[in-house]
Structures are given as structure tokens and as C-alpha cells.
Amino acid sequence: MADTKTDTDTGKDDVKEQAGSGLDALRDELVDYLGAQAEHLVEKTGERLTDLTQQLLDSADNGGGFLTGVGSRILKGESPLKALVAQKAGDVKDKVVEGAKSLFGKSKGKSGQAKITNIIEVLDIGVPIRDAYNHWTQYDEFSGFTKGVQSVSQNDEVTSDWKLKVGPSKRSYKATTQTQIPDDRIVWTSEGAKGTTRGCVTFHEITPDLTRIVLVVVYSPAGFFEKTGNIWRAQGRRLRLDFKNFQRYVSFADPDVEGWRGEIRDGEVVRSHEEVVEEEQRQEEGEEGEEGEGDEEYEDEYDEEEGEGEEGDDEEYDDEAPDEGGDFEDEEEEEDEEEEEAR
């Protein structure tokens, strides 16, 4: 029994020794792993410190922009570490902004011009062409029936100031009328801080009570947010909706509105509103006079023909009447002679 116990104790001791050696090996491996990680971390930190030092040296060589920024932050009371981090974050922000500007900046093609938006709309309105044109020239009324036009102030017969709104963005434009021909077309250009436009609206008479309006606008955005909005064609949607609002407004508006009917060529007034209106009135009076003269001539010709016809009938009747009477008397005389001979 004593020998058996001794063997058992010996076996347990061997197991303990093996377990201890395994734990020692595991501990050694863990120490080695942690040491390797620490060395790697130190190397990365050293590399970053080297890069930062190089950046500081480069900045000093290039005028000390980064270093100057850090120094100014330290002088304002910031800790050196906080100053470094803040200045670095500012440089990253500047790079992001520059990247965004390059992304949405002027993208020049073969022609060397910035990207533009072409907007073309066609609408038919059930009013005479004169009424449709007159309503279009009433710029100060646009803010009452459109959502994009906030206000319009007419400086003179050629220039006007417009305040517009597209979504959350507001903008102002100075518009100049280049060509304006009554009941035919209006061509304009506009300039503002957020872009430029070139537009043309033409009026076409389909029937006396139906007018077709063709609107063409070329929009060149300027600025980061305007170019971003241009990607989604926000300006085109706003113009299209307000064009339909014009159609609705004119369809129910007073047809006797008096528009500005002057004529503009190459940005200068060649005929004033009063001159054009007087000329149109003279044309209308001349047409009415020609129609009246035509009716009088027709009546005179009818009276002359009628008078000639009556005179001719009377003469023929007078000529025939004696002949008929004379023949009747001759027949009576012949009958009397025959009766006398028979006796």
C-alpha cells in the first residue's frame, strides 16, 4: 500500500511539473507578443513624429504657415498639443473645401465655357396675342401670381431689378432688355452674384383667340450652392411652374390690360410706347375707313343699276303702249269697212 501511494504521488508531481512548464511557456509567448506590439507602436509613433517634424520643417521652409499658426495658438493660451491638433484640423478642412470647389467649380469643355442649363417651354393660352403680350410686359405683377418672383422694380424702359427665390436660396438679378417687338418677341440678359441668364420669349398667333408662347432660357450658375442646385435642375423646375402660373393668370385676368408696347433694338428704345400706340390707332382707323368706302361704293353702284333698270322699263313700256293702241284702232277700222261692204 505504501508503494502504491508513493507512485501516485509521483504521477501527480509529474503532472504539476508539466502544467507549470506549459503556463511558463504561455506566459513567455504573451510577454513576447506584448513586447512586439509595444515595439510596433513605438515605431509607428516615431514615424508619425518624424512626419510631423518634416511637415514643420517644410512649413518653415515655405514661409512657416503651419508653424506660424501653431505659434499663434500657443501665444493665445492653448497647449502645444492642442495647438498642433487644431492647426492640423484646419488644414484638413481647407483641403476638403478646396476639393469640393474643384469638384463643383467651372468644368470647362472644348469651348472653354462653364456648364449651363437650357430651359425650353411651350404653352398655349386661350387669349388673343395682344392680350398675352400685354400681360407679359407687366413685370411688376409677376410677384402676385408666381412663387419664384418676390419683387420687380422697373428702373427705366430697358433695365429692371428682380428678386427671385428658388427653394431656400434667394438671389437678385439686374435684367436688360436687348430686343422687344410688340406682339412678336422679347430678348433679355440678366446678371447677378449667383449666375447669369439669357432669355427669349416669342408670341405666335394660332387663331384670333389662341396664342402660343415659346420660352427659351440659358442659365449659367455661379457659386458653390447654385452649382449644386443646378445639378438637380431646381431652376428649371421653378421656371416651368411659374410659366404655368402665368398661363393660369392670363386665362382669367382682365383682357383690357394695357401693356408697354414700345420697341427696343440692341438695348435702346427706337419707338416709345406712345408712338407705337398712335401708329396702331391710325392703322385701325385706316382699315375702318377702307371698309366704309367699300360699302358706300357698293351702295352707289346698286342705286345706279337700279335707277337704270327702272328708266329702261318705263321707256320700253311707253314705246310698246302706243303701238298696241294703234294696232287695236286699225283692227276696228277694218272691221267697220268690212261691215259696210257687206251691207
Side-chain angles (χ1 to χ4, degrees), residues 68-252:
T68 302
V70 174
S72 63
R73 290 177 180 274
I74 293 175
L75 292 176
K76 291 179 181 179
E78 295 183 4
S79 64
L81 180 59
K82 184 177 180 180
L84 287 171
V85 173
Q87 188 64 28
K88 186 65 176 178
D91 291 345
V92 172
K93 179 181 177 181
D94 293 339
K95 290 180 180 179
V96 171
V97 173
E98 290 177 0
K101 288 182 178 179
S102 63
L103 177 61
F104 296 104
K106 292 184 178 180
S107 177
K108 296 184 178 181
K110 295 181 180 179
S111 60
Q113 297 180 351
K115 289 184 178 180
I116 60 177
T117 299
N118 295 319
I119 305 170
I120 302 175
E121 295 294 328
V122 180
L123 283 179
D124 294 339
I125 303 179
V127 297
I129 188 172
R130 184 186 181 91
D131 295 343
Y133 175 84
N134 286 345
H135 278 293
W136 188 275
T137 60
Q138 299 296 306
Y139 302 137
D140 54 347
E141 299 291 335
F142 277 36
S143 60
F145 60 85
T146 64
K147 294 183 179 179
V149 180
Q150 291 187 319
S151 64
V152 180
S153 59
Q154 193 83 22
N155 300 326
D156 49 40
E157 296 173 335
V158 177
T159 62
S160 57
D161 294 326
W162 294 66
K163 291 184 178 180
L164 309 177
K165 182 179 180 181
V166 178
S169 177
K170 296 181 180 179
R171 72 285 309 271
S172 299
Y173 291 97
K174 185 177 184 62
T176 302
T177 303
Q178 302 296 337
T179 303
Q180 184 163 348
I181 304 173
D183 300 336
D184 183 29
R185 67 179 54 239
I186 301 175
V187 181
W188 75 91
T189 59
S190 67
E191 296 182 357
K194 297 185 178 181
T196 60
T197 64
R198 290 184 296 120
C200 177
V201 57
T202 57
F203 303 83
H204 311 270
E205 184 180 66
I206 300 177
T207 67
D209 293 326
L210 183 62
T211 303
R212 174 166 294 171
I213 302 179
V214 180
L215 178 62
V216 180
V217 177
V218 179
Y219 175 67
S220 301
F224 175 76
F225 290 104
E226 285 297 306
K227 292 177 180 178
T228 306
N230 188 38
I231 295 175
W232 303 105
R233 301 295 188 266
Q235 297 85 357
R237 289 198 301 271
R238 181 71 272 159
L239 182 62
R240 186 179 302 110
L241 291 174
D242 283 344
F243 194 26
K244 291 183 178 180
N245 287 332
F246 176 79
Q247 181 188 35
R248 171 186 54 79
Y249 172 76
V250 174
S251 299
F252 296 100

Side-chain angles (χ1 to χ4, degrees), residues 278-310:
E278 290 178 0
E279 182 178 349
E280 291 175 347
Q281 289 177 351
R282 288 196 298 268
Q283 291 177 354
E284 291 178 358
E285 291 175 357
E287 292 176 356
E288 291 177 356
E290 291 178 358
E291 291 178 357
E293 291 176 359
D295 294 339
E296 290 177 359
E297 291 177 359
Y298 177 75
E299 290 177 357
D300 294 340
E301 291 177 358
Y302 178 76
D303 293 340
E304 290 176 359
E305 291 177 356
E306 192 175 29
E308 291 177 357
E310 291 176 354

